[in-house]
Amino acid sequence: MYRIIQLSDVHFGTVNPQVLNALVHAVRQLSPALCVVSGDITQRATRREFVAANAFLKTLPSPVLCIPGNHDIPLFALWARFMNPYGRYRRYLHKDVEPLFETGAAIVIGVNTSTPFRHKRGIVTDAQIRRVEQLAQDNSARKSVLVVAHHPFHVLDPADQEQLVENHEAAIRAWSAAGVDLILGGHIHMPFVHPLIKSYPDLANPMLVVQGGTTTSLRVRRHIPNSLNVVDLYPEKKIHITTWTYQPRDGSHPNRFMCVEKDLWKTS
Ligand SMILES: [Fe+2]
Ligand SMILES: [Fe+2]
């Protein structure tokens, strides 16, 4: 089994310190082979927030694959926003905004859906679609193929429709045909797993959207608790996904992340 944990929308700048503390314990306990962070790593893309995020990511016990979200581009500093939108991100987190991570079990492909030309909404370009398609097609060893993006490729709530990444349907069809198994996303602060075959019955291969909630921010949405996802990859493309949510201390337990949702999926 190869274990990946998905953190998302950690939003340094609005982090709940008690949740962060519980997260450090949870990650140690879960002992992942890889941590992915699906964007919105800071709240306002300030130097201070990036420094704090960098310090936290360095404490994680495994390699980290992160990608930027819309909050990781300066909003009001217009020169930086348009001339060097990922300057701080590259300096403090990772020089590559579309990293690629490959092991014996999986190919994990970062796709940067944020853009300085949009405040909130994201886009996946034709060139990004082709890059993922090519990497997935070259996967002769039939490893699991995961895309990590920030903006969602599927939403459950009709009110979130406008948050869908632009060009999502073209990407879904191309990536499914090429053999991508999972698309991990964030942005809407609502965790769920959705088999895309339910929305696109003629899809070439089954593919799942795995959405992360906000893992550590105080700015939770509609009282949905902070959460993280655990993705366990098994041979023959069997995938076990669990969502762990934060539960504040009560008489019987300390602040902790606790497993609440379990699903066993198969993508081929
Ligand atoms: Fe966010
Ligand atoms: Fe976002």
Side-chain angles (χ1 to χ4, degrees):
M1 183 266 282
Y2 187 84
R3 172 165 287 175
I4 297 173
I5 65 165
Q6 179 192 13
L7 315 180
S8 196
D9 297 79
V10 285
H11 283 292
F12 276 84
T14 59
V15 160
N16 180 334
Q18 290 172 333
V19 176
L20 191 68
N21 209 19
L23 175 64
V24 170
H25 287 282
V27 175
R28 228 175 270 152
Q29 180 192 347
L30 289 163
S31 187
L34 174 69
C35 283
V36 306
V37 190
S38 42
D40 279 0
I41 297 169
T42 65
Q43 183 63 29
R44 280 283 165 251
T46 66
R47 191 181 312 272
R48 181 196 291 240
E49 290 169 0
F50 276 117
V51 167
N54 172 275
F56 166 70
L57 294 182
K58 279 188 177 152
T59 68
L60 294 175
S62 65
V64 173
L65 180 144
C66 60
I67 46 125
N70 52 305
H71 278 259
D72 301 317
I73 302 173
L75 183 57
F76 301 116
L78 293 184
W79 189 92
R81 181 171 179 86
F82 294 107
M83 302 306 286
N84 192 17
Y86 302 106
R88 284 186 184 148
Y89 183 94
R90 291 183 201 275
R91 180 166 173 200
Y92 292 105
L93 297 185
H94 202 279
K95 61 182 187 324
D96 190 352
V97 296
E98 296 206 308
L100 175 67
F101 186 90
E102 185 161 0
T103 72
I107 301 171
V108 187
I109 308 164
V111 174
N112 176 20
T113 53
S114 67
T115 162
F117 301 103
R118 307 267 179 84
H119 177 202
K120 278 191 182 163
R121 205 177 165 198
I123 182 167
V124 57
T125 65
D126 292 344
Q128 288 172 312
I129 293 174
R130 279 196 302 276
R131 171 180 170 250
V132 171
E133 200 175 19
Q134 193 67 57
L135 287 164
Q137 283 168 348
D138 292 347
N139 174 29
S140 54
R142 281 188 38 87
K143 299 175 183 181
S144 295
V145 182
L146 290 76
V147 169
V148 182
H150 179 61
H151 295 84
F153 284 71
H154 183 78
V155 294
L156 297 181
D157 185 341
D160 287 334
Q161 203 69 17
E162 61 185 25
Q163 305 298 334
L164 276 171
V165 65
E166 187 178 327
N167 228 4
H168 60 277
E169 184 167 346
I172 286 168
R173 293 194 180 282
W175 294 351
S176 160
V180 172
D181 297 293
L182 305 183
I183 306 176
L184 278 63
H187 186 62
I188 48 177
H189 296 200
M190 181 185 285
F192 66 82
V193 178
H194 179 76
L196 284 164
I197 202 102
K198 281 191 180 173
S199 313
Y200 305 87
D202 57 339
L203 214 54
N205 293 299
M207 189 164 68
L208 305 176
V209 160
V210 181
Q211 281 293 127
T214 167
T215 304
T216 50
S217 177
L218 287 159
R219 295 176 63 172
V220 295
R221 187 173 168 209
R222 295 184 204 145
H223 307 290
I224 300 169
N226 294 109
S227 66
L228 60 88
N229 292 326
V230 180
V231 178
D232 291 335
L233 305 174
Y234 293 91
E236 304 299 318
K237 301 224 174 196
K238 286 198 187 77
I239 301 171
H240 186 223
I241 300 172
T242 53
T243 298
W244 292 53
T245 63
Y246 175 72
Q247 299 179 339
R249 173 194 342 245
D250 72 12
S252 62
H253 64 80
N255 296 327
R256 65 180 180 182
F257 277 83
M258 193 59 197
C259 180
V260 287
E261 293 280 350
K262 300 181 187 179
D263 282 303
L264 188 59
W265 306 90
K266 201 166 181 313
T267 53
S268 71

